[in-house]
Amino acid sequence: AFVERVKSIKETTARQRLEKKLKKLEKIWRKESGAKTTSITKHSGAASSDAQSQNVADNAESKLYEQAPELKDYMRKNQIFDKHLFEILVEQGIKSEEDLTVKIDSKTKLDEILQQAMVKRTADIKDMQSRQRLEKTLTKFGKIVRSKNEKLKETSIVDDEKQLKTWQSDKEQQIAESESKVIKEWLQKENIFMKELLEGLVNNGVISPFQIELLEESEFDEIVRQVRVERLSNVKDLTARQNVDKILIKFEKIW
C-alpha cells in the first residue's frame, strides 16, 4: 500500500509539473500572438471552415489528377510518383509517358523540373528518411527520362545525384537560416549575441525567445556549459573571457 501511495504521489507531481509547464507555454504564446482564449467545437464556425478548406484542397487535388490520369498511372506503376513532381509536370503540359520523351528534351529542362520538385517537397519534410526517399524517387525519375531520350543518355548519373544533394543541402541551409532568424534578432536586441550561443540554442530546438523560458534547468545548464567551453577554447585574452562570462550570466538572468 505504501509503495502504491508513493507511486501515486510521483505520478501526481509529474502531472502537476506538466500542467504548470503547459499553462506557462499557453500564457507566453498568447502574449506573443495576442490570441485570446477560445473554444472550438466540431459544430463551431472554425471547425466548419477547416472542413470546407480541406474539401477544397481535396477537390483541387482530384481535378489535378483528372488532367493527366495516364501520367499518374505511369508514375505509380514505375514507383516514381510524388504529388509535387506530378503537379510540376502537369503545369508544364506533360501529361503522358510520351510527353516525358517529347517535352523534356534537354538536360536544362530536366534539371529545372528536379530542382523545383526538390525545393517544393523538402519544405514539408522534416525527417531524414523521407528526404532520402524523395531523393531516390527523383533520381529514379531522372534515369527513366534519360533512358527515353537519346539527347539525355549522355548525362552522367553520378553528376545528377551530386546535383540533387547540392539542392537538398542548399534548401536545408535556407530552412535553418529562416528558423534561426527570430532567436538571432532577439539575442542581438538583448546584447547577448554570440555565434556559439545562437548555434547552441538552435541545435537544441530553441528558435524563439519564449522557448528559452520553457527550458528545464538541466537543459539550460548543458547549453550554457557547451557554449562556454566552445567559446573559451577560441579566446585567450582575459578581458575577452570575462566578457563571455558576463554575457552568459546576463543570459541566465533573462531565463
Side-chain angles (χ1 to χ4, degrees), residues 62 102 223:
S62 179
V102 177
I223 291 172

Side-chain angles (χ1 to χ4, degrees), residues 3-223:
V3 173
E4 290 298 322
R5 175 61 177 158
V6 170
K7 183 180 178 182
S8 174
I9 291 172
K10 286 183 177 179
E11 290 176 349
T12 300
T13 304
R15 185 165 56 251
Q16 289 173 339
R17 279 202 304 268
L18 176 60
E19 289 174 352
K20 185 177 179 181
K21 180 174 285 189
L22 290 174
K23 285 180 180 178
K24 184 178 180 182
L25 172 59
E26 182 182 5
K27 183 178 179 182
I28 294 170
W29 173 75
R30 292 194 184 285
K31 181 180 178 182
E32 293 280 333
S33 64
K36 297 180 180 179
T37 305
T38 59
S39 176
I40 299 176
T41 66
K42 63 180 180 179
H43 301 296
S44 70
S48 176
S49 177
D50 288 343
Q52 289 175 2
S53 297
Q54 184 60 48
N55 287 336
V56 170
D58 292 343
N59 290 335
E61 190 171 309
S62 179
K63 286 180 181 179
L64 179 67
Y65 293 155
E66 287 173 3
Q67 290 182 50
E70 183 184 332
L71 178 63
K72 184 189 75 172
D73 293 341
Y74 176 79
M75 292 177 73
R76 289 193 183 282
K77 179 182 176 183
N78 287 275
Q79 298 181 330
I80 54 172
F81 183 83
D82 175 82
K83 187 178 76 171
H84 292 85
L85 175 59
F86 178 80
E87 184 179 344
I88 291 165
L89 292 172
V90 173
E91 286 174 354
Q92 299 196 23
I94 300 169
K95 300 181 179 181
S96 66
E97 179 184 356
E98 184 181 354
D99 286 344
L100 291 174
T101 304
V102 177
K103 296 186 177 181
I104 305 179
D105 55 359
S106 69
K107 183 180 183 298
T108 301
K109 182 78 169 178
L110 177 59
D111 286 348
E112 286 176 357
I113 291 171
L114 292 173
Q115 185 175 18
Q116 285 180 45
M118 177 65 78
V119 170
K120 259 190 171 185
R121 190 78 172 87
T122 50
D124 302 325
I125 293 177
K126 300 301 179 184
D127 64 287
M128 187 56 67
Q129 256 187 339
S130 297
R131 294 188 184 195
Q132 289 172 342
R133 281 198 300 271
L134 172 64
E135 186 177 333
K136 286 180 180 178
T137 298
L138 295 181
T139 300
K140 187 175 181 180
F141 172 77
K143 288 178 181 178
I144 289 174
V145 172
R146 281 193 300 273
S147 70
K148 292 178 173 297
N149 193 316
E150 290 296 329
K151 294 179 183 178
L152 301 177
K153 282 184 179 178
E154 298 176 2
T155 301
S156 168
I157 293 174
V158 174
D159 286 345
D160 279 353
E161 289 176 345
K162 286 181 179 178
Q163 184 67 64
L164 279 172
K165 288 178 180 177
T166 299
W167 289 335
Q168 184 180 18
S169 177
D170 290 345
K171 186 59 184 176
E172 286 174 350
Q173 185 175 348
Q174 289 175 20
I175 293 171
E177 288 175 355
S178 174
E179 288 179 340
S180 64
K181 183 179 178 182
V182 175
I183 191 68
K184 180 180 180 180
E185 290 177 349
W186 180 81
L187 289 172
Q188 290 171 334
K189 179 184 174 184
E190 297 292 335
N191 293 318
I192 54 173
F193 177 80
M194 283 194 299
K195 179 174 172 287
E196 292 82 0
L197 180 55
L198 174 64
E199 291 175 352
L201 291 170
V202 173
N203 290 340
N204 283 274
V206 180
I207 57 174
S208 66
F210 79 87
Q211 286 180 300
I212 294 174
E213 297 184 39
L214 298 173
L215 288 170
E216 296 284 356
E217 185 175 350
S218 57
E219 295 172 326
F220 181 86
D221 288 345
E222 180 61 20
I223 291 172

